[in-house]
Amino acid sequence: MKRNTVYLILVMMAVGLGTLFLMPREASPLIASHECSYCHGVHGAPGPALLKEAQVETLCLTCHGPGGTSTLKADVHTNAARSDYPPFRISCRGCHDPHDNLPNWLGGTNIKLVGSEQDTTGYARITTPNSGIRDVVYESRGTDAGEPSLHSFADNDEDGNTVYDGVCETCHTLTRHHHNNPTGDHSHHVGETCTRCHDHLDGFLR
Amino acid sequence: MTIRSYVPLTLFVILALGAGLMLLPAESTAAEHAKQRMDQLLSPARLSPGPSGILLVTDYCAQAVFMVSRTTVAKVIRSFSINGRPLGIAWARGRIYVGNETTGAVEVYNPAGKRMYTLGGAPGSVKQPSDIAVDASRGLIFVVDGQEKRIRVFGLKGPELTAISGIGAGSLVNPIGIALDQTREEILVSDYGHPADSSDERAPSLVHIFDYDGNKIAEISGSRRFSRPQGLAVEEGHIYLADGMLGQVLVLDRSSGATVATLGEFGTGPGQLQLPLDVVIDPSSKDVYVTNNRAARIELFEGGGQVP
């Protein structure tokens, strides 16, 4: 019993120290539109670690969902009403880093918080449902009226590196268009802003 | 909307596909995806009492108004589409008032879903019609404009009543939901405050109380702070406030502001609340209805409007 208490105190001290080290590292690079207190210390949100997916999703949607205060709206990516695919449901954390835009493996930096730290490489990556951890590239190319385009959503391997790492490719293995490999159709509206038709608020479905 | 809840749906889809594959067109269009959702709630937002035995629900993602049965809340009786994202909703004298966030207007429909007219003239006049409340006997419609951060007042037929328009300008920070206490002639407005954590000193989350002339009477912040206050309802000296983050309906004493009870708990399981967005109380049965956004359901708390 006593040993456990000592152990517990040690662990708590370690966590405390760890947080001290983490805080400054996390504090500087946050995107301008979010303040730390938008997510941390929110009454009803879980403790400092905010680990539960459902609670993180709820938190994001209190601002980015119906009745939320942000003008930017989103919803999770999940099966269409009539879907040809096995059930999938990808929540906010599945695609976004809550803290910052990360560098991607091609040397650029992602935008809109897409991709997060999955390992020690520090690159923006996504844990995909069927293909393990994969790189994700989502950059603004400054075309299409300032909206990200081309490589950003689905690159159709335009850079010839044999990797299909666009954000709308990197997970897909079964869809009719834009797989994360050369199979299937890669021509569907390639180079366009996919979210013009596949609205984030409709889970990217149309 | 857990993955598990998709299993029966998927099984059904597979069966249906098996049976009907040959009849289906080879490629479904994006628009068809949307239409197929019309018999099923997708993202229920605000609630309102409707014609007898019916509740009206706006669905932000299905872009529709659903009419559900008060006794069997899972039963969709009818629905009609809205051209845009609907939020606020109210019912008065056979008309359905719908706040369309996309067009920036309060649109008026008949119960068959036919659009009749728009409140306050041209679309774009109510920037974010987040919630609507109506005092049918006095012929007044109160609309929360979340972007202009004030309450707009209209007559049932459409004209803006300029004399008492613009309630709360200056004191509302991020107004969200609205309810009326018709006996006391009071307007209750929930307010996120500053979007940072709810104890933020710049502007905490609150319920403001105004009289019908727009004079501020009181401010309520609960015994514990609210987190993300959404829609609300008033019943015999108590305020029922849906809190989106807490996953609860907070029951507040109207005069002391204290939290005297709660309904529901946060969670993704059956009956638990994840992102509740509005509350309606049946005055005779005291049943409480809540939009459970993430679960895409209406929850019924039988007799929940009876505070011990």
Side-chain angles (χ1 to χ4, degrees), chain B residues 194-245:
Chain B
H194 188 276
D197 75 275
S198 36
S199 63
D200 193 281
E201 275 156 24
R202 284 167 288 190
S205 47
L206 290 173
V207 171
H208 306 257
I209 305 181
F210 301 95
D211 64 22
Y212 273 17
D213 294 327
N215 305 309
K216 181 127 168 197
I217 299 172
E219 243 174 42
I220 288 179
S221 59
S223 4
R224 321 176 258 126
R225 293 270 187 196
F226 313 139
S227 187
R228 305 281 199 225
Q230 284 280 346
L232 66 170
V234 189
E235 179 66 25
E236 288 181 5
H238 291 101
I239 301 167
Y240 287 70
L241 176 66
D243 191 308
M245 188 67 227

Side-chain angles (χ1 to χ4, degrees), chain B residues 32-109:
Chain B
E32 276 172 17
H33 277 292
K35 273 203 206 100
Q36 276 153 31
R37 303 241 188 194
M38 287 292 290
D39 57 348
Q40 189 197 324
L41 293 175
L42 199 58
S43 180
R46 305 280 186 235
L47 268 179
S48 162
S52 74
I54 286 178
L55 283 172
L56 302 169
V57 193
T58 50
D59 194 305
Y60 198 64
C61 290
Q63 303 192 24
V65 168
F66 287 88
M67 301 183 192
V68 302
S69 155
R70 285 194 190 211
T71 45
T72 318
V73 283
K75 192 173 158 209
V76 173
I77 293 165
R78 204 168 47 232
S79 67
F80 60 87
S81 2
I82 300 295
N83 193 4
R85 308 279 178 189
L87 273 173
I89 189 160
W91 162 263
R93 300 195 194 153
R95 295 279 177 269
I96 302 169
Y97 296 81
V98 180
N100 186 332
E101 190 185 59
T102 313
T103 57
V106 176
E107 297 164 351
V108 187
Y109 294 82

Side-chain angles (χ1 to χ4, degrees), chain A residues 35 37 43 57 62 89, chain B residues 1 192 197 202 225 227 294:
Chain A
E35 293 177 26
S37 57
H43 183 28
E57 181 180 313
T62 58
R89 186 181 196 281
Chain B
M1 282 223 278
Y192 261 40
D197 75 275
R202 284 167 288 190
R225 293 270 187 196
S227 187
R294 294 285 81 199

Side-chain angles (χ1 to χ4, degrees), chain B residues 118-185:
Chain B
T118 298
L119 292 194
S125 65
V126 189
K127 297 284 179 303
Q128 195 195 17
S130 173
D131 201 8
I132 306 178
V134 43
D135 184 332
S137 57
R138 293 176 188 81
L140 298 173
I141 309 251
F142 299 82
V143 183
V144 178
D145 190 330
Q147 233 175 66
E148 292 201 344
K149 305 180 191 313
R150 60 194 177 103
I151 309 303
R152 311 270 299 265
V153 189
F154 299 92
L156 291 184
K157 290 275 161 54
E160 179 149 15
L161 307 173
T162 42
I164 50 171
S165 75
I167 290 176
S171 67
L172 299 174
V173 179
N174 272 305
I176 304 280
I178 190 166
L180 300 177
D181 186 332
Q182 297 190 21
T183 34
R184 303 165 77 134
E185 298 201 12

Side-chain angles (χ1 to χ4, degrees), chain A residues 69-110:
Chain A
T69 46
S70 170
T71 49
L72 304 177
K73 303 294 185 193
D75 208 339
V76 300
H77 187 24
T78 185
N79 296 75
R82 196 179 65 198
S83 177
D84 301 340
Y85 310 111
F88 69 98
R89 186 181 196 281
I90 298 151
S91 187
C92 320
R93 270 300 270 126
C95 290
H96 291 289
D97 188 312
H99 292 129
D100 202 10
N101 289 307
L102 298 181
N104 58 52
W105 74 297
L106 289 180
T109 302
N110 279 3

Side-chain angles (χ1 to χ4, degrees), chain A residues 7 14 22 30 43 52 59 68 72 82 84 94 97 113 116-117 122 125 129 144 149 158 182-183:
Chain A
Y7 181 66
L22 271 169
L30 190 84
H43 183 28
K52 284 198 187 131
L59 178 66
L72 304 177
R82 196 179 65 198
D84 301 340
D97 188 312
L113 304 173
S116 60
E117 212 172 299
R125 293 189 162 173
D144 202 346
S149 71
E158 62 170 347
T183 65

